[in-house]
Amino acid sequence: MAPIPGSGLAKGLAVTLRTMTRRSVTEQYPDTQPDLPPRTRGVIGLFEENCTVCMLCARECPDWCIYIDSHKETVPAAAPGGRERSRNVLDRFAIDFSLCMYCGICIEVCPFDALFWSPEFEYAETDIRDLTHERDKLREWMWTVPAPPPLDPAAEEPKELTAARKAAEKLAATQSTPPGSPPATGPAPTDPPGGRQ
């Protein structure tokens, strides 16, 4: 069946008329904060206790807007006769938000969950040099990071938990069978098809 000529135009005008008759609601922004979606990309928060100065975020950043400085410290041996270890200590962690394009690559490549998205977006400055936030400012943004969403109750169980549960059930089944009896792992043996001889 061929469409009626002008039906698309009529549908478009109907949407326009419905919108024109609705009362518009203007949110007064400074007084009323907007309801932001849970995955809003505002600013990046740093949880520096998790940072191991692996430099992955700075290497993967396409804008090169992450600046990290560190030094090495030797850690004494934990046990007598052991050897000393060296570890990196974070001296400076800064993000230049005048260069950042909010792609989120730094957050995704961080293997230790040290970087997080915060929904905060009110950090405008009058001087562009003030948009380079050092680690103390990034630490303040960390407290505005929302909690992760709850797990979907209809989702399937993670493979690790399924394997651990099956192993525990198998161990419990072998411990509950009395000694000397065959393990109850398969069906009971039956006579051969020709009967007993």
Side-chain angles (χ1 to χ4, degrees), residues 30-157:
D31 302 325
T32 306
Q33 291 294 320
D35 291 330
L36 298 172
R39 297 180 65 190
T40 301
R41 294 184 176 191
V43 74
I44 298 170
L46 170 69
F47 191 60
E48 66 181 89
E49 284 82 3
N50 287 355
C51 183
T52 60
V53 198
C54 65
M55 306 288 270
L56 272 176
C57 54
R59 279 196 300 250
E60 296 295 326
C61 178
D63 291 333
W64 293 86
C65 64
I66 300 176
Y67 311 111
I68 300 176
D69 291 331
S70 66
H71 68 277
K72 287 192 177 286
E73 282 185 358
T74 55
V75 179
R83 66 183 180 99
E84 293 181 341
R85 307 252 177 202
S86 65
R87 68 181 178 105
N88 289 328
V89 177
L90 185 66
D91 291 330
R92 179 184 186 219
F93 193 106
I95 299 177
D96 188 352
F97 284 103
S98 65
L99 295 176
C100 181
M101 64 181 188
Y102 304 92
C103 63
I105 293 175
C106 57
I107 295 171
E108 293 194 19
V109 300
C110 181
F112 302 104
D113 289 335
L115 297 172
F116 295 90
W117 280 119
S118 166
E120 294 294 321
F121 60 92
E122 298 174 312
Y123 54 96
E125 300 287 348
T126 56
D127 189 358
I128 196 169
R129 290 172 291 194
D130 294 335
L131 283 173
T132 301
H133 294 171
E134 297 292 333
R135 71 179 182 178
D136 55 343
K137 184 70 172 173
L138 297 175
R139 175 64 169 207
E140 289 176 23
W141 295 123
M142 188 60 211
W143 306 122
T144 62
V145 172
L151 297 176
D152 184 7
E156 63 182 42
E157 190 177 39

Side-chain angles (χ1 to χ4, degrees), residues 9-22:
L9 178 63
K11 287 181 185 176
L13 288 174
V15 171
T16 304
L17 286 172
R18 276 198 309 269
T19 307
M20 283 175 53
T21 57
R22 244 186 250 143

